[in-house]
Amino acid sequence: MKAWWDSLTLRERGLIGGGMALTLALLIYALAWQPFRTSYRRLQQSVVEQRADLAWMRQAAQEVQRLSGVSDRGSKITSDGRSLLTRVDQTARAAGFGPALKRIAPQGDDQISVQLEAVEFDKLIPWLAALERNHPVLIVNLTVDRTATAGRVNARLILGLRP
């Protein structure tokens, strides 16, 4: 290859060198710059579309809140200013149900679903009684299943605010 290059005249070397430089420039443009610019334009358009979607979603969320009259699902406030979900969670943990408390989830505007696993039945009933007696909480639905361990049950509850 070196012998071939040395056998070329100065003019031929210049033409081949210029052709190689031009080919390299075209390859860089075709393989790097053009795809980068195309991707950049596409991403700019995507950002514009997503901002428009976000503005619409915020406006729709405000409309939903206005129509429902509630700012958060399951967060109707009780007389002491705490939400039903917060009140049930705090009283359950205070009763020692922390490890047994598997799930608390909103169920509509003024109800929550509570799932307890392997909880002592003798502690569950007094806790439920205290909720109804000391707080404006109403037991809407209660399902209790025995476990293999004596004295322990799995419980699924739907609790609501007393009118």
Side-chain angles (χ1 to χ4, degrees):
M1 186 79 160
K2 177 124 172 84
W4 174 77
W5 182 258
D6 289 337
S7 70
L8 296 176
T9 64
L10 188 59
R11 182 172 182 241
E12 290 171 335
R13 287 182 192 174
L15 285 172
I16 291 174
M20 288 175 58
L22 181 62
T23 302
L24 182 63
L26 288 173
L27 283 173
I28 290 173
Y29 177 79
L31 298 176
W33 185 254
Q34 183 61 28
F36 171 75
R37 291 295 298 164
T38 303
S39 176
Y40 180 74
R41 279 190 224 112
R42 187 173 23 93
L43 288 174
Q44 278 184 324
Q45 182 62 30
S46 175
V47 166
V48 169
E49 291 170 0
Q50 289 178 357
R51 283 185 178 154
D53 288 346
L54 177 62
W56 177 85
M57 285 182 206
R58 285 182 175 160
Q59 186 258 343
Q62 289 174 351
E63 183 71 12
V64 167
Q65 286 178 353
R66 184 185 65 78
L67 292 174
S68 69
V70 178
S71 62
D72 274 316
R73 281 186 52 175
S75 66
K76 287 264 185 162
I77 304 300
T78 57
S79 59
D80 67 351
R82 292 186 293 176
S83 71
L84 175 62
L85 191 128
T86 303
R87 176 182 300 277
V88 171
D89 183 60
Q90 287 174 348
T91 59
R93 292 186 191 286
F97 297 151
L101 190 59
K102 296 303 176 191
R103 187 176 78 111
I104 297 180
Q107 295 285 326
D109 290 340
D110 59 353
Q111 294 182 348
I112 61 169
S113 169
V114 181
Q115 183 177 351
L116 298 161
E117 289 183 5
V119 65
E120 291 182 41
F121 183 76
D122 292 340
K123 290 184 179 179
L124 176 66
I125 298 304
W127 173 66
L128 292 174
L131 270 178
E132 281 198 318
R133 181 178 57 251
N134 301 331
H135 307 286
V137 176
L138 177 67
I139 299 171
V140 176
N141 190 353
L142 171 64
T143 305
V144 179
D145 299 318
R146 278 191 317 190
T147 63
T149 308
R152 296 201 177 257
V153 296
N154 294 331
R156 289 178 307 284
L157 306 108
I158 295 180
L159 302 172
L161 287 175
R162 197 176 313 137

mmCIF file of all heavy atoms in Angstrom, residues 45-89:
data_model
loop_
_atom_site.group_PDB
_atom_site.id
_atom_site.type_symbol
_atom_site.label_atom_id
_atom_site.label_comp_id
_atom_site.label_asym_id
_atom_site.label_seq_id
_atom_site.Cartn_x
_atom_site.Cartn_y
_atom_site.Cartn_z
ATOM 1 N N GLN A 45 -40.679 18.113 19.602
ATOM 2 C CA GLN A 45 -42.106 17.996 19.324
ATOM 3 C C GLN A 45 -42.803 17.186 20.420
ATOM 4 O O GLN A 45 -43.898 17.520 20.849
ATOM 5 C CB GLN A 45 -42.322 17.339 17.947
ATOM 6 C CG GLN A 45 -43.775 17.214 17.561
ATOM 7 C CD GLN A 45 -44.465 18.559 17.437
ATOM 8 O OE1 GLN A 45 -43.869 19.565 17.109
ATOM 9 N NE2 GLN A 45 -45.752 18.571 17.733
ATOM 10 N N SER A 46 -42.139 16.137 20.889
ATOM 11 C CA SER A 46 -42.701 15.318 21.957
ATOM 12 C C SER A 46 -42.874 16.119 23.242
ATOM 13 O O SER A 46 -43.885 15.984 23.932
ATOM 14 C CB SER A 46 -41.789 14.106 22.203
ATOM 15 O OG SER A 46 -42.247 13.355 23.292
ATOM 16 N N VAL A 47 -41.913 16.959 23.557
ATOM 17 C CA VAL A 47 -42.008 17.800 24.752
ATOM 18 C C VAL A 47 -43.193 18.755 24.633
ATOM 19 O O VAL A 47 -43.964 18.925 25.581
ATOM 20 C CB VAL A 47 -40.686 18.570 24.989
ATOM 21 C CG1 VAL A 47 -40.871 19.685 26.011
ATOM 22 C CG2 VAL A 47 -39.591 17.625 25.436
ATOM 23 N N VAL A 48 -43.368 19.343 23.483
ATOM 24 C CA VAL A 48 -44.495 20.255 23.269
ATOM 25 C C VAL A 48 -45.825 19.506 23.458
ATOM 26 O O VAL A 48 -46.729 19.987 24.149
ATOM 27 C CB VAL A 48 -44.409 20.903 21.862
ATOM 28 C CG1 VAL A 48 -45.686 21.627 21.515
ATOM 29 C CG2 VAL A 48 -43.223 21.842 21.793
ATOM 30 N N GLU A 49 -45.923 18.316 22.880
ATOM 31 C CA GLU A 49 -47.158 17.525 23.006
ATOM 32 C C GLU A 49 -47.402 17.114 24.453
ATOM 33 O O GLU A 49 -48.537 17.165 24.938
ATOM 34 C CB GLU A 49 -47.079 16.298 22.109
ATOM 35 C CG GLU A 49 -47.128 16.610 20.628
ATOM 36 C CD GLU A 49 -46.800 15.400 19.758
ATOM 37 O OE1 GLU A 49 -46.533 14.309 20.305
ATOM 38 O OE2 GLU A 49 -46.804 15.571 18.529
ATOM 39 N N GLN A 50 -46.348 16.707 25.157
ATOM 40 C CA GLN A 50 -46.516 16.280 26.540
ATOM 41 C C GLN A 50 -46.877 17.447 27.452
ATOM 42 O O GLN A 50 -47.643 17.282 28.403
ATOM 43 C CB GLN A 50 -45.256 15.568 27.025
ATOM 44 C CG GLN A 50 -45.090 14.203 26.386
ATOM 45 C CD GLN A 50 -43.826 13.497 26.824
ATOM 46 O OE1 GLN A 50 -43.023 14.028 27.575
ATOM 47 N NE2 GLN A 50 -43.647 12.280 26.334
ATOM 48 N N ARG A 51 -46.357 18.619 27.168
ATOM 49 C CA ARG A 51 -46.744 19.794 27.956
ATOM 50 C C ARG A 51 -48.213 20.119 27.743
ATOM 51 O O ARG A 51 -48.918 20.495 28.684
ATOM 52 C CB ARG A 51 -45.872 20.989 27.601
ATOM 53 C CG ARG A 51 -44.505 20.911 28.217
ATOM 54 C CD ARG A 51 -43.694 22.147 27.960
ATOM 55 N NE ARG A 51 -42.400 22.026 28.621
ATOM 56 C CZ ARG A 51 -41.311 22.644 28.240
ATOM 57 N NH1 ARG A 51 -41.344 23.464 27.206
ATOM 58 N NH2 ARG A 51 -40.181 22.471 28.894
ATOM 59 N N ALA A 52 -48.681 19.976 26.525
ATOM 60 C CA ALA A 52 -50.100 20.208 26.246
ATOM 61 C C ALA A 52 -50.952 19.165 26.974
ATOM 62 O O ALA A 52 -52.000 19.498 27.544
ATOM 63 C CB ALA A 52 -50.352 20.161 24.741
ATOM 64 N N ASP A 53 -50.504 17.908 26.960
ATOM 65 C CA ASP A 53 -51.230 16.856 27.685
ATOM 66 C C ASP A 53 -51.259 17.141 29.177
ATOM 67 O O ASP A 53 -52.289 16.967 29.838
ATOM 68 C CB ASP A 53 -50.585 15.485 27.444
ATOM 69 C CG ASP A 53 -50.811 14.957 26.044
ATOM 70 O OD1 ASP A 53 -51.681 15.504 25.336
ATOM 71 O OD2 ASP A 53 -50.113 13.986 25.654
ATOM 72 N N LEU A 54 -50.137 17.579 29.739
ATOM 73 C CA LEU A 54 -50.068 17.901 31.163
ATOM 74 C C LEU A 54 -51.022 19.036 31.516
ATOM 75 O O LEU A 54 -51.732 18.965 32.522
ATOM 76 C CB LEU A 54 -48.639 18.264 31.557
ATOM 77 C CG LEU A 54 -48.431 18.685 33.017
ATOM 78 C CD1 LEU A 54 -48.790 17.544 33.962
ATOM 79 C CD2 LEU A 54 -46.998 19.141 33.225
ATOM 80 N N ALA A 55 -51.060 20.053 30.696
ATOM 81 C CA ALA A 55 -51.976 21.175 30.953
ATOM 82 C C ALA A 55 -53.425 20.694 30.929
ATOM 83 O O ALA A 55 -54.230 21.078 31.784
ATOM 84 C CB ALA A 55 -51.761 22.277 29.919
ATOM 85 N N TRP A 56 -53.750 19.831 29.974
ATOM 86 C CA TRP A 56 -55.108 19.297 29.903
ATOM 87 C C TRP A 56 -55.418 18.446 31.131
ATOM 88 O O TRP A 56 -56.498 18.539 31.703
ATOM 89 C CB TRP A 56 -55.277 18.460 28.630
ATOM 90 C CG TRP A 56 -56.632 17.849 28.564
ATOM 91 C CD1 TRP A 56 -57.768 18.415 28.091
ATOM 92 C CD2 TRP A 56 -57.011 16.540 29.010
ATOM 93 N NE1 TRP A 56 -58.834 17.556 28.216
ATOM 94 C CE2 TRP A 56 -58.383 16.395 28.784
ATOM 95 C CE3 TRP A 56 -56.310 15.488 29.588
ATOM 96 C CZ2 TRP A 56 -59.068 15.234 29.118
ATOM 97 C CZ3 TRP A 56 -57.004 14.338 29.914
ATOM 98 C CH2 TRP A 56 -58.363 14.224 29.675
ATOM 99 N N MET A 57 -54.448 17.603 31.560
ATOM 100 C CA MET A 57 -54.673 16.750 32.730
ATOM 101 C C MET A 57 -54.864 17.572 33.996
ATOM 102 O O MET A 57 -55.718 17.247 34.831
ATOM 103 C CB MET A 57 -53.496 15.787 32.915
ATOM 104 C CG MET A 57 -53.463 14.654 31.933
ATOM 105 S SD MET A 57 -52.065 13.595 32.315
ATOM 106 C CE MET A 57 -51.773 12.882 30.713
ATOM 107 N N ARG A 58 -54.090 18.631 34.147
ATOM 108 C CA ARG A 58 -54.261 19.487 35.332
ATOM 109 C C ARG A 58 -55.634 20.146 35.327
ATOM 110 O O ARG A 58 -56.294 20.225 36.363
ATOM 111 C CB ARG A 58 -53.164 20.546 35.371
ATOM 112 C CG ARG A 58 -51.829 19.986 35.793
ATOM 113 C CD ARG A 58 -50.775 21.060 35.867
ATOM 114 N NE ARG A 58 -49.524 20.521 36.391
ATOM 115 C CZ ARG A 58 -48.360 21.068 36.228
ATOM 116 N NH1 ARG A 58 -48.254 22.209 35.566
ATOM 117 N NH2 ARG A 58 -47.278 20.512 36.729
ATOM 118 N N GLN A 59 -56.050 20.593 34.176
ATOM 119 C CA GLN A 59 -57.369 21.226 34.079
ATOM 120 C C GLN A 59 -58.463 20.203 34.352
ATOM 121 O O GLN A 59 -59.424 20.482 35.061
ATOM 122 C CB GLN A 59 -57.528 21.853 32.685
ATOM 123 C CG GLN A 59 -58.787 22.645 32.509
ATOM 124 C CD GLN A 59 -59.844 21.880 31.739
ATOM 125 O OE1 GLN A 59 -59.558 20.899 31.068
ATOM 126 N NE2 GLN A 59 -61.066 22.332 31.847
ATOM 127 N N ALA A 60 -58.300 18.981 33.830
ATOM 128 C CA ALA A 60 -59.287 17.928 34.061
ATOM 129 C C ALA A 60 -59.316 17.522 35.537
ATOM 130 O O ALA A 60 -60.389 17.271 36.094
ATOM 131 C CB ALA A 60 -58.983 16.717 33.177
ATOM 132 N N ALA A 61 -58.159 17.472 36.187
ATOM 133 C CA ALA A 61 -58.108 17.124 37.613
ATOM 134 C C ALA A 61 -58.829 18.173 38.452
ATOM 135 O O ALA A 61 -59.561 17.834 39.394
ATOM 136 C CB ALA A 61 -56.658 16.983 38.060
ATOM 137 N N GLN A 62 -58.653 19.435 38.113
ATOM 138 C CA GLN A 62 -59.365 20.490 38.832
ATOM 139 C C GLN A 62 -60.870 20.363 38.631
ATOM 140 O O GLN A 62 -61.647 20.543 39.561
ATOM 141 C CB GLN A 62 -58.883 21.867 38.369
ATOM 142 C CG GLN A 62 -57.497 22.216 38.830
ATOM 143 C CD GLN A 62 -57.006 23.529 38.237
ATOM 144 O OE1 GLN A 62 -57.629 24.093 37.353
ATOM 145 N NE2 GLN A 62 -55.877 24.003 38.733
ATOM 146 N N GLU A 63 -61.269 20.020 37.420
ATOM 147 C CA GLU A 63 -62.700 19.843 37.134
ATOM 148 C C GLU A 63 -63.267 18.662 37.926
ATOM 149 O O GLU A 63 -64.351 18.750 38.487
ATOM 150 C CB GLU A 63 -62.895 19.634 35.630
ATOM 151 C CG GLU A 63 -64.329 19.508 35.208
ATOM 152 C CD GLU A 63 -65.098 20.818 35.298
ATOM 153 O OE1 GLU A 63 -64.492 21.881 35.464
ATOM 154 O OE2 GLU A 63 -66.337 20.751 35.207
ATOM 155 N N VAL A 64 -62.514 17.573 37.984
ATOM 156 C CA VAL A 64 -62.958 16.396 38.742
ATOM 157 C C VAL A 64 -63.088 16.750 40.224
ATOM 158 O O VAL A 64 -64.073 16.393 40.876
ATOM 159 C CB VAL A 64 -61.989 15.213 38.529
ATOM 160 C CG1 VAL A 64 -62.233 14.109 39.538
ATOM 161 C CG2 VAL A 64 -62.107 14.674 37.120
ATOM 162 N N GLN A 65 -62.097 17.443 40.772
ATOM 163 C CA GLN A 65 -62.170 17.839 42.176
ATOM 164 C C GLN A 65 -63.346 18.772 42.431
ATOM 165 O O GLN A 65 -64.037 18.644 43.434
ATOM 166 C CB GLN A 65 -60.871 18.520 42.607
ATOM 167 C CG GLN A 65 -59.727 17.549 42.783
ATOM 168 C CD GLN A 65 -58.438 18.245 43.151
ATOM 169 O OE1 GLN A 65 -58.359 19.463 43.150
ATOM 170 N NE2 GLN A 65 -57.421 17.459 43.451
ATOM 171 N N ARG A 66 -63.575 19.672 41.514
ATOM 172 C CA ARG A 66 -64.695 20.598 41.684
ATOM 173 C C ARG A 66 -66.020 19.843 41.668
ATOM 174 O O ARG A 66 -66.896 20.098 42.477
ATOM 175 C CB ARG A 66 -64.679 21.655 40.579
ATOM 176 C CG ARG A 66 -65.762 22.721 40.732
ATOM 177 C CD ARG A 66 -65.786 23.679 39.556
ATOM 178 N NE ARG A 66 -66.149 23.054 38.303
ATOM 179 C CZ ARG A 66 -67.402 22.733 37.943
ATOM 180 N NH1 ARG A 66 -68.398 22.965 38.756
ATOM 181 N NH2 ARG A 66 -67.657 22.179 36.772
ATOM 182 N N LEU A 67 -66.156 18.901 40.747
ATOM 183 C CA LEU A 67 -67.411 18.157 40.631
ATOM 184 C C LEU A 67 -67.621 17.176 41.768
ATOM 185 O O LEU A 67 -68.750 16.949 42.189
ATOM 186 C CB LEU A 67 -67.463 17.423 39.290
ATOM 187 C CG LEU A 67 -67.582 18.311 38.051
ATOM 188 C CD1 LEU A 67 -67.481 17.479 36.788
ATOM 189 C CD2 LEU A 67 -68.883 19.086 38.079
ATOM 190 N N SER A 68 -66.550 16.566 42.266
ATOM 191 C CA SER A 68 -66.715 15.576 43.329
ATOM 192 C C SER A 68 -66.840 16.221 44.699
ATOM 193 O O SER A 68 -67.394 15.622 45.611
ATOM 194 C CB SER A 68 -65.549 14.588 43.323
ATOM 195 O OG SER A 68 -64.358 15.227 43.735
ATOM 196 N N GLY A 69 -66.290 17.398 44.862
ATOM 197 C CA GLY A 69 -66.367 18.066 46.154
ATOM 198 C C GLY A 69 -65.407 17.489 47.167
ATOM 199 O O GLY A 69 -65.471 17.797 48.343
ATOM 200 N N VAL A 70 -64.511 16.612 46.728
ATOM 201 C CA VAL A 70 -63.552 15.967 47.619
ATOM 202 C C VAL A 70 -62.180 16.149 47.013
ATOM 203 O O VAL A 70 -61.985 15.928 45.827
ATOM 204 C CB VAL A 70 -63.871 14.457 47.747
ATOM 205 C CG1 VAL A 70 -62.856 13.778 48.629
ATOM 206 C CG2 VAL A 70 -65.267 14.259 48.285
ATOM 207 N N SER A 71 -61.191 16.519 47.848
ATOM 208 C CA SER A 71 -59.856 16.740 47.310
ATOM 209 C C SER A 71 -59.074 15.451 47.152
ATOM 210 O O SER A 71 -58.217 15.357 46.298
ATOM 211 C CB SER A 71 -59.088 17.706 48.199
ATOM 212 O OG SER A 71 -58.927 17.148 49.482
ATOM 213 N N ASP A 72 -59.314 14.439 47.960
ATOM 214 C CA ASP A 72 -58.604 13.167 47.869
ATOM 215 C C ASP A 72 -59.580 12.033 48.113
ATOM 216 O O ASP A 72 -60.450 12.127 48.956
ATOM 217 C CB ASP A 72 -57.515 13.058 48.943
ATOM 218 C CG ASP A 72 -56.217 13.670 48.508
ATOM 219 O OD1 ASP A 72 -55.843 13.424 47.356
ATOM 220 O OD2 ASP A 72 -55.605 14.367 49.322
ATOM 221 N N ARG A 73 -59.364 10.910 47.426
ATOM 222 C CA ARG A 73 -60.193 9.736 47.677
ATOM 223 C C ARG A 73 -59.901 9.214 49.070
ATOM 224 O O ARG A 73 -58.775 9.073 49.467
ATOM 225 C CB ARG A 73 -59.863 8.644 46.668
ATOM 226 C CG ARG A 73 -60.477 8.857 45.348
ATOM 227 C CD ARG A 73 -60.226 7.702 44.462
ATOM 228 N NE ARG A 73 -60.636 6.484 45.152
ATOM 229 C CZ ARG A 73 -60.634 5.292 44.596
ATOM 230 N NH1 ARG A 73 -60.253 5.139 43.380
ATOM 231 N NH2 ARG A 73 -61.004 4.238 45.288
ATOM 232 N N GLY A 74 -60.952 8.881 49.801
ATOM 233 C CA GLY A 74 -60.790 8.273 51.112
ATOM 234 C C GLY A 74 -60.226 9.210 52.156
ATOM 235 O O GLY A 74 -59.731 8.762 53.164
ATOM 236 N N SER A 75 -60.284 10.495 51.950
ATOM 237 C CA SER A 75 -59.680 11.394 52.918
ATOM 238 C C SER A 75 -60.705 12.336 53.537
ATOM 239 O O SER A 75 -60.370 13.441 53.899
ATOM 240 C CB SER A 75 -58.564 12.202 52.267
ATOM 241 O OG SER A 75 -59.095 13.063 51.297
ATOM 242 N N LYS A 76 -61.941 11.921 53.627
ATOM 243 C CA LYS A 76 -62.914 12.743 54.341
ATOM 244 C C LYS A 76 -62.381 12.975 55.736
ATOM 245 O O LYS A 76 -61.877 12.079 56.389
ATOM 246 C CB LYS A 76 -64.261 12.031 54.416
ATOM 247 C CG LYS A 76 -65.004 11.998 53.116
ATOM 248 C CD LYS A 76 -65.978 13.102 53.063
ATOM 249 C CE LYS A 76 -66.783 12.955 51.790
ATOM 250 N NZ LYS A 76 -67.967 13.662 51.767
ATOM 251 N N ILE A 77 -62.489 14.175 56.210
ATOM 252 C CA ILE A 77 -61.895 14.557 57.472
ATOM 253 C C ILE A 77 -62.886 14.308 58.602
ATOM 254 O O ILE A 77 -64.065 14.629 58.500
ATOM 255 C CB ILE A 77 -61.479 16.047 57.441
ATOM 256 C CG1 ILE A 77 -60.536 16.296 56.266
ATOM 257 C CG2 ILE A 77 -60.851 16.468 58.742
ATOM 258 C CD1 ILE A 77 -59.261 15.511 56.290
ATOM 259 N N THR A 78 -62.372 13.730 59.698
ATOM 260 C CA THR A 78 -63.201 13.501 60.869
ATOM 261 C C THR A 78 -63.197 14.758 61.722
ATOM 262 O O THR A 78 -62.521 15.737 61.418
ATOM 263 C CB THR A 78 -62.673 12.293 61.666
ATOM 264 O OG1 THR A 78 -61.316 12.535 62.005
ATOM 265 C CG2 THR A 78 -62.777 11.025 60.849
ATOM 266 N N SER A 79 -63.923 14.733 62.830
ATOM 267 C CA SER A 79 -64.108 15.932 63.646
ATOM 268 C C SER A 79 -62.803 16.491 64.207
ATOM 269 O O SER A 79 -62.689 17.680 64.435
ATOM 270 C CB SER A 79 -65.072 15.635 64.794
ATOM 271 O OG SER A 79 -64.541 14.578 65.590
ATOM 272 N N ASP A 80 -61.793 15.651 64.427
ATOM 273 C CA ASP A 80 -60.529 16.148 64.971
ATOM 274 C C ASP A 80 -59.537 16.562 63.887
ATOM 275 O O ASP A 80 -58.397 16.883 64.183
ATOM 276 C CB ASP A 80 -59.897 15.126 65.907
ATOM 277 C CG ASP A 80 -59.451 13.873 65.188
ATOM 278 O OD1 ASP A 80 -59.771 13.715 63.989
ATOM 279 O OD2 ASP A 80 -58.778 13.037 65.817
ATOM 280 N N GLY A 81 -59.959 16.571 62.629
ATOM 281 C CA GLY A 81 -59.105 17.040 61.541
ATOM 282 C C GLY A 81 -58.268 15.958 60.881
ATOM 283 O O GLY A 81 -57.539 16.237 59.952
ATOM 284 N N ARG A 82 -58.345 14.707 61.344
ATOM 285 C CA ARG A 82 -57.581 13.619 60.726
ATOM 286 C C ARG A 82 -58.471 12.870 59.738
ATOM 287 O O ARG A 82 -59.675 12.754 59.940
ATOM 288 C CB ARG A 82 -57.078 12.631 61.785
ATOM 289 C CG ARG A 82 -56.021 13.231 62.689
ATOM 290 C CD ARG A 82 -55.443 12.206 63.604
ATOM 291 N NE ARG A 82 -56.449 11.760 64.566
ATOM 292 C CZ ARG A 82 -56.248 10.797 65.449
ATOM 293 N NH1 ARG A 82 -55.102 10.159 65.507
ATOM 294 N NH2 ARG A 82 -57.193 10.453 66.284
ATOM 295 N N SER A 83 -57.866 12.363 58.689
ATOM 296 C CA SER A 83 -58.644 11.602 57.716
ATOM 297 C C SER A 83 -58.991 10.236 58.297
ATOM 298 O O SER A 83 -58.340 9.753 59.234
ATOM 299 C CB SER A 83 -57.866 11.433 56.410
ATOM 300 O OG SER A 83 -56.796 10.531 56.594
ATOM 301 N N LEU A 84 -59.994 9.616 57.730
ATOM 302 C CA LEU A 84 -60.405 8.284 58.166
ATOM 303 C C LEU A 84 -59.250 7.301 58.024
ATOM 304 O O LEU A 84 -58.972 6.505 58.922
ATOM 305 C CB LEU A 84 -61.612 7.822 57.342
ATOM 306 C CG LEU A 84 -62.105 6.399 57.576
ATOM 307 C CD1 LEU A 84 -62.568 6.229 59.016
ATOM 308 C CD2 LEU A 84 -63.241 6.077 56.616
ATOM 309 N N LEU A 85 -58.550 7.378 56.922
ATOM 310 C CA LEU A 85 -57.424 6.482 56.677
ATOM 311 C C LEU A 85 -56.341 6.670 57.741
ATOM 312 O O LEU A 85 -55.838 5.700 58.306
ATOM 313 C CB LEU A 85 -56.853 6.753 55.283
ATOM 314 C CG LEU A 85 -55.857 5.728 54.788
ATOM 315 C CD1 LEU A 85 -56.286 5.253 53.412
ATOM 316 C CD2 LEU A 85 -54.494 6.326 54.716
ATOM 317 N N THR A 86 -56.009 7.892 58.064
ATOM 318 C CA THR A 86 -54.998 8.175 59.088
ATOM 319 C C THR A 86 -55.449 7.694 60.449
ATOM 320 O O THR A 86 -54.687 7.071 61.190
ATOM 321 C CB THR A 86 -54.703 9.689 59.138
ATOM 322 O OG1 THR A 86 -54.278 10.111 57.850
ATOM 323 C CG2 THR A 86 -53.644 10.012 60.158
ATOM 324 N N ARG A 87 -56.700 7.970 60.797
ATOM 325 C CA ARG A 87 -57.232 7.567 62.096
ATOM 326 C C ARG A 87 -57.180 6.053 62.260
ATOM 327 O O ARG A 87 -56.713 5.540 63.276
ATOM 328 C CB ARG A 87 -58.667 8.041 62.257
ATOM 329 C CG ARG A 87 -59.308 7.579 63.544
ATOM 330 C CD ARG A 87 -60.741 8.037 63.635
ATOM 331 N NE ARG A 87 -60.844 9.480 63.597
ATOM 332 C CZ ARG A 87 -60.679 10.275 64.640
ATOM 333 N NH1 ARG A 87 -60.377 9.768 65.803
ATOM 334 N NH2 ARG A 87 -60.819 11.564 64.517
ATOM 335 N N VAL A 88 -57.627 5.296 61.258
ATOM 336 C CA VAL A 88 -57.635 3.832 61.351
ATOM 337 C C VAL A 88 -56.216 3.294 61.423
ATOM 338 O O VAL A 88 -55.913 2.404 62.217
ATOM 339 C CB VAL A 88 -58.424 3.217 60.169
ATOM 340 C CG1 VAL A 88 -58.249 1.716 60.127
ATOM 341 C CG2 VAL A 88 -59.895 3.584 60.287
ATOM 342 N N ASP A 89 -55.322 3.833 60.609
ATOM 343 C CA ASP A 89 -53.926 3.379 60.623
ATOM 344 C C ASP A 89 -53.296 3.619 61.991
ATOM 345 O O ASP A 89 -52.649 2.730 62.545
ATOM 346 C CB ASP A 89 -53.137 4.103 59.535
ATOM 347 C CG ASP A 89 -51.701 3.624 59.453
ATOM 348 O OD1 ASP A 89 -51.497 2.418 59.211
ATOM 349 O OD2 ASP A 89 -50.789 4.442 59.639
#
